Amino acid sequence: MYGPGREKWDELRVQHRTRVSRSTFEGCLELIADPNNMQQVAFGSKNLVLSDGEVITVPAVQRKNLREVMWQQYKERHTIVAEDESGNMVSTYDGVSRAVFFQCAKLTTAGQQKTLAGLDNISFRYGSENFASTRSLVDTLIGLGVGVGIDLSLFGRLKDRIDRYQDFVKTDLVTHLEPHSPVASHCLCRLLGGQSHNYDCKDCEKRRNNPRMKDQCQSCADRAAFSTDCPESCLTHDQHCEMCDQGHVIFASLEEMLSLIKRKATDPNLLPKLEDMNFLIQRCKKRLLKYIGHLVRGKVEADAKATCRASLMPHQVEITMDYKMKWVALLLRECQLEWFGKSGIAWHGAMFIRRLVPDDDGQVDPDDYILDYYDDISNDKKEDGFAVMSCLQADLTTYVRSNSEVTEARVRTDGAGCYSGKYLVHALPLLSSWTGVRILDHGIGEAGMNKSMLDSHFGVA
């Protein structure tokens, strides 16, 4: 096989097939290593071996964007649209294939950047991420305006207005809300639905004749669900708030920019791009409304929880449960690998809130409550419904021993899977037979809203 008299490893000639040139590969790496797509880690590097045997050393990075998003950027950058001999517009692509790009993005990264957005996906996706997308729309529209010969630089100040409006929505919007207000954007009665009305279009009339379809189309159903009218008992909305109305002003300006570009656009290849921009503007507008709805629900929920707490009877208790972030144990001496390799210990907390018992004269301060904290630390790292139920049973059994007059309880949790799953919902009624305390209700709060004293307890415990 190796020829007469030759050893197996005696200067064998290694041959490689070159599929991707170095210049093409470096062009691919240039986009992947863009700061908007990648973030360099504190230490480490990777060696990439080309098909011809050449080795390229690159720093270790973490991917911040999805590979599909980076591929769309790369494909757009390496697509050239030119006019051929017959006068037709022809597009040519001079980059690597999709499979090769995905492989490069995988090999060049040390991992995917982790995010805590899953703890409050609404605030991230419809809040900070949506505002960033809105700001990028301004730059994109200004660039499209330059391509058709329109100077839209005056709209560059729109990004400053978006920044101010973002700060206002995150900090001061909920302070403007009132149960009934002459300002439409302040009226909770209007924001929570108000009076229902029937909105019908021609398509809805056709739907009624078809038993397999809904009575209303999606557009009319959305308008009916978010009616701008209030009952007669509410105030007349004849006033406006300048800051609250900035959202409408921002998107009206974006739509105006898009309409100016459409009037001057003559290239037929530009029309699909403009339609995509219109879709992105409408999507950002819908996400902003959902984010505002998220804040409104959090405000209403906080008021409702305070009302329920004030109505507690002497034989009732309110139980707030939550998991602390993984509790990391400390060692006397440990290397960096040991520190980052820790998985943590599960720490579950429960806060019992109860009204003061009336004194001999039957008097009780309505603002005074009795708080008891219970901490359950387990060596089992699994945080599921069974773990929550076990902790709740142990805590409630201990609490009833020193508070025998308690016979009813209300449970308050967040929307984590261990609290909102089927297991806990079906197991809560069994607590009455185990502990003698009947669970009246189980309230699941809005994501990322209404922090309680239990979080403060975690910070000092």
Side-chain angles (χ1 to χ4, degrees):
M1 178 177 180
Y2 301 100
R6 293 191 59 181
E7 295 293 337
K8 182 177 181 180
W9 306 109
D10 184 16
E11 297 181 359
L12 295 179
R13 182 182 178 185
V14 181
Q15 296 182 349
H16 298 277
R17 292 180 299 172
T18 303
R19 297 182 179 179
V20 180
S21 63
R22 181 185 178 90
S23 59
T24 305
F25 185 74
E26 289 181 346
C28 179
L29 289 180
E30 181 181 356
L31 183 133
I32 295 177
D34 188 274
N36 296 323
N37 296 326
M38 293 293 179
Q39 176 180 343
Q40 185 173 350
V41 298
F43 53 88
S45 60
K46 297 191 68 174
N47 294 328
L48 304 180
V49 182
L50 301 183
S51 56
D52 60 353
E54 187 175 358
V55 179
I56 298 179
T57 302
V58 296
V61 293
Q62 285 184 332
R63 190 170 66 248
K64 298 168 58 177
N65 253 337
L66 296 175
R67 288 184 294 176
E68 182 64 33
V69 176
M70 294 191 296
W71 162 247
Q72 295 298 333
Q73 298 174 358
Y74 178 79
K75 186 171 63 173
E76 183 178 355
R77 179 180 296 186
H78 287 267
T79 301
I80 303 174
V81 180
E83 186 176 352
D84 59 3
E85 298 178 354
S86 59
N88 298 325
M89 303 300 295
V90 179
S91 60
T92 56
Y93 176 71
D94 61 350
V96 299
S97 64
R98 184 174 183 269
V100 173
F101 182 86
F102 272 44
Q103 187 177 8
C104 292
K106 180 180 179 180
L107 294 175
T108 53
T109 55
Q112 176 72 32
Q113 188 181 34
K114 303 299 186 296
T115 174
L116 297 179
L119 300 177
D120 188 3
N121 184 54
I122 298 178
S123 295
F124 175 73
R125 184 178 182 184
Y126 299 149
S128 57
E129 187 180 60
N130 188 51
F131 280 108
S133 300
T134 306
R135 281 189 287 267
S136 65
L137 288 177
V138 178
D139 295 330
T140 305
L141 289 174
I142 292 177
L144 292 175
V146 173
V148 297
I150 302 178
D151 184 13
L152 300 176
S153 58
L154 293 178
F155 288 92
R157 301 178 181 177
L158 192 59
K159 292 196 293 184
D160 296 334
R161 178 174 292 180
I162 295 173
D163 294 337
R164 292 193 299 269
Y165 183 65
Q166 181 180 3
D167 296 337
F168 166 76
V169 170
K170 293 176 63 177
T171 57
D172 299 333
L173 176 64
V174 294
T175 62
H176 288 208
L177 301 178
E178 300 176 0
H180 301 282
S181 173
V183 182
S185 55
H186 295 179
C187 183
L188 285 174
C189 183
R190 168 187 172 271
L191 295 175
L192 296 177
Q195 188 177 6
S196 61
H197 287 266
N198 293 325
Y199 295 92
D200 296 328
C201 61
K202 295 182 179 180
D203 188 40
C204 294
E205 298 177 358
K206 298 178 182 179
R207 287 171 173 265
R208 290 194 180 92
N209 298 327
N210 190 343
R212 298 183 178 180
M213 302 181 69
K214 297 180 180 180
D215 292 338
Q216 284 184 317
C217 64
Q218 188 62 38
S219 177
C220 294
D222 292 342
R223 293 177 61 193
F226 299 96
S227 171
T228 58
D229 298 331
C230 289
E232 297 180 357
S233 59
C234 190
L235 302 175
T236 303
H237 305 310
D238 54 358
Q239 300 180 17
H240 297 277
C241 175
E242 181 179 357
M243 287 304 302
C244 292
D245 293 341
Q246 284 300 307
H248 302 286
V249 175
I250 290 171
F251 285 100
S253 302
L254 291 175
E255 293 172 353
E256 181 183 357
M257 295 172 66
L258 185 61
S259 63
L260 293 175
I261 297 173
K262 285 184 177 180
R263 294 174 189 173
K264 295 290 185 178
T266 57
D267 186 2
N269 295 323
L270 187 60
L271 296 180
K273 179 70 174 179
L274 297 180
E275 293 296 330
D276 292 342
M277 294 301 300
N278 182 49
F279 169 78
L280 294 176
I281 292 174
Q282 299 304 321
R283 186 178 67 176
C284 289
K285 183 191 297 186
K286 292 180 180 179
R287 289 184 174 182
L288 174 62
L289 295 177
K290 290 183 178 180
Y291 180 55
I292 294 176
H294 170 63
L295 299 177
V296 171
R297 290 192 299 271
K299 164 68 174 176
V300 175
E301 180 187 312
D303 297 340
K305 288 176 66 175
T307 303
C308 292
R309 187 170 299 168
S311 63
L312 285 175
M313 303 298 292
H315 65 281
Q316 295 177 344
V317 64
E318 181 180 290
I319 306 174
T320 302
M321 298 188 299
D322 196 6
Y323 265 106
K324 178 181 171 61
M325 286 294 183
K326 289 290 188 179
W327 183 37
V328 180
L330 299 179
L331 298 178
L332 180 61
R333 291 178 178 272
E334 57 186 0
C335 63
Q336 190 177 36
L337 181 61
E338 292 174 338
W339 168 257
F340 285 104
K342 294 177 182 177
S343 57
I345 302 173
W347 182 347
H348 184 266
M351 178 178 64
F352 290 73
I353 303 178
R354 210 182 139 209
R355 296 290 298 272
L356 286 174
V357 179
D359 55 17
D360 297 337
D361 299 332
Q363 301 295 326
V364 61
D365 192 341
D367 296 329
D368 288 344
Y369 297 90
I370 302 176
L371 276 68
D372 293 286
Y373 298 98
Y374 291 85
D375 297 298
D376 302 284
I377 300 175
S378 171
N379 57 0
D380 186 2
K381 302 179 180 63
K382 198 167 186 180
E383 301 177 357
D384 55 2
F386 178 77
V388 171
M389 196 63 191
S390 302
C391 295
L392 179 58
Q393 180 190 1
D395 298 340
L396 193 55
T397 301
T398 306
Y399 184 80
V400 171
R401 289 174 185 171
S402 57
N403 300 273
S404 57
E405 64 276 6
V406 174
T407 58
E408 295 178 344
R410 302 177 183 273
V411 179
R412 302 286 181 261
T413 64
D414 55 22
C418 58
Y419 298 122
S420 59
K422 296 180 180 179
Y423 185 92
L424 188 63
V425 173
H426 291 294
L428 279 177
L430 301 176
L431 275 179
S432 58
S433 61
W434 297 341
T435 62
V437 178
R438 185 166 66 97
I439 304 298
L440 298 178
D441 56 40
H442 175 206
I444 298 177
E446 191 76 11
M449 294 289 182
N450 302 322
K451 296 298 182 182
S452 64
M453 292 296 296
L454 181 59
D455 300 277
S456 302
H457 167 73
F458 282 145
V460 298

